[in-house]
Amino acid sequence: MSVGVSKEGELTSASGKNGGKTPAAGLALVLFGSPGSGKGTQSKLLMERLGIPQISTGDMLRDHIRRGDEVGKAISGLMSAGLLVPDELVNTLVAERLAEPDSRNGFILDGYPRTRQQAEVLVGLLKRLGMEEVVIHLVVDYNVISARLTQRRVCPKCGTLYNSASRPSRIPGICDSDGETLEIRDDDRESVVRERLDSYERQTRPLIEYFRETGRRLYEIEASFDRPAVVFEKITKLLQ
Ligand code: ADP
């Protein structure tokens, strides 16, 4: 399968071979949804299937914190409190990332845009690239989300996500891929989870209306109860 978006915003398809991966020419895929809706898991699967990079603003910001640089120092308090970091900073990181050569054939945005201002900046960036976004909204029940986030574990080395209830690692607490000890993300503590869900309701969910008003391609996928592989199949079918 190969998908793309023409300048007119039509989904196009073409065939191509790329070491088993299928290049998705020009596809600007936005995975949209609440924290814990499965954006990270799905975008990793899509990256492998489509052969285009996953651009996760959360991962980029956590990298800065890990490196302990100026950006990292400025944002660690906000992130560990479950609050959004300033638009200007995220917009700059995304603009720089989209200018890299591997973004030329398309990309998957995971966790961006999250505010109206970010959505407007993205529209401008894509216009310059001659692309238009396809938004996939992963719709997940609030109670399911809350349970998922507090049971979530992450591998600090490869970023694989596990869930002690729905997707446990083979050996509890150890990553299946590289044997690292799994960690609980700082912002997956219960009080912070509440704040992240509030930020989503206040600042991010209203973007659905924005996408509708501006005539963006927006697809809703019910993702509360299906296994990740089933949600993935729903997304790929839709892109076909
Ligand atoms: P989740 O979607 O599960 O909250 P992310 O890794 O996408 O996980 O985001 C973690 C945190 O990173 C957010 O709570 C916020 O502090 C920050 N962040 C990520 N993306 C953005 C963004 N686009 N704008 C502002 N803050 C962001």
Side-chain angles (χ1 to χ4, degrees):
M1 179 198 62
S2 176
V3 280
V5 187
S6 72
K7 287 205 173 102
E8 292 74 41
E10 291 302 313
L11 274 178
T12 57
S13 66
S15 58
K17 288 201 177 99
N18 176 22
K21 291 174 181 172
T22 320
L27 178 66
L29 190 60
V30 174
L31 277 192
F32 187 86
S34 146
S37 58
K39 301 187 299 291
T41 302
Q42 294 303 325
S43 47
K44 282 198 172 61
L45 294 170
L46 284 162
M47 171 176 70
E48 282 163 22
R49 176 73 65 92
L50 300 173
I52 53 177
Q54 169 205 20
I55 300 180
S56 157
T57 43
D59 286 349
M60 287 160 85
L61 295 167
R62 277 185 291 278
D63 268 351
H64 280 283
I65 293 179
R66 220 167 286 134
R67 289 202 293 268
D69 60 17
E70 286 306 308
V71 171
K73 282 183 199 139
I75 62 177
S76 72
L78 288 169
M79 278 183 73
S80 54
L83 299 168
L84 295 187
V85 312
D87 287 334
E88 252 165 76
L89 170 66
V90 195
N91 288 334
T92 306
L93 292 178
V94 171
E96 285 171 359
R97 184 64 187 81
L98 295 191
E100 287 178 26
D102 68 335
S103 299
R104 221 173 285 147
N105 291 329
F107 41 81
I108 302 154
L109 289 170
D110 162 10
Y112 181 90
R114 252 170 153 105
T115 64
R116 172 76 179 240
Q117 212 259 346
Q118 291 178 19
E120 287 169 356
V121 166
L122 178 64
V123 168
L125 288 171
L126 294 181
K127 201 166 175 192
R128 250 177 284 148
L129 294 168
M131 295 162 103
E132 200 170 290
E133 71 270 47
V134 175
V135 183
I136 298 198
H137 176 200
L138 299 175
V139 183
V140 182
D141 182 85
Y142 187 92
N143 294 323
V144 173
I145 291 276
S146 182
R148 271 189 196 171
L149 288 173
T150 47
Q151 290 162 351
R152 186 156 79 170
R153 301 292 178 272
V154 62
C155 172
K157 196 168 166 197
C158 68
T160 302
L161 294 169
Y162 297 89
N163 186 291
S164 46
S166 60
R167 196 192 169 214
S169 52
R170 281 195 298 272
I171 305 168
I174 304 292
C175 179
D176 291 346
S177 315
D178 52 33
E180 280 290 314
T181 302
L182 301 180
E183 292 179 353
I184 302 181
R185 242 170 62 178
D186 252 11
D187 57 355
D188 280 344
R189 283 170 291 118
E190 212 162 329
S191 58
V192 182
V193 162
R194 229 170 297 130
E195 183 53 51
R196 283 163 65 206
L197 293 176
D198 282 355
S199 309
Y200 175 76
E201 291 300 324
R202 275 195 320 270
Q203 292 162 283
T204 308
R205 186 191 281 283
L207 286 187
I208 297 169
E209 272 320 301
Y210 170 79
F211 294 137
R212 287 211 179 100
E213 280 163 17
T214 55
R216 308 276 137 199
R217 275 165 190 274
L218 170 69
Y219 300 98
E220 311 239 294
I221 290 200
E222 168 47 50
S224 303
F225 305 109
D226 290 327
R227 282 178 298 114
V230 176
V231 175
F232 180 58
E233 284 318 311
K234 285 189 190 174
I235 298 175
T236 48
K237 243 188 224 137
L238 194 140
L239 292 176
Q240 269 166 347

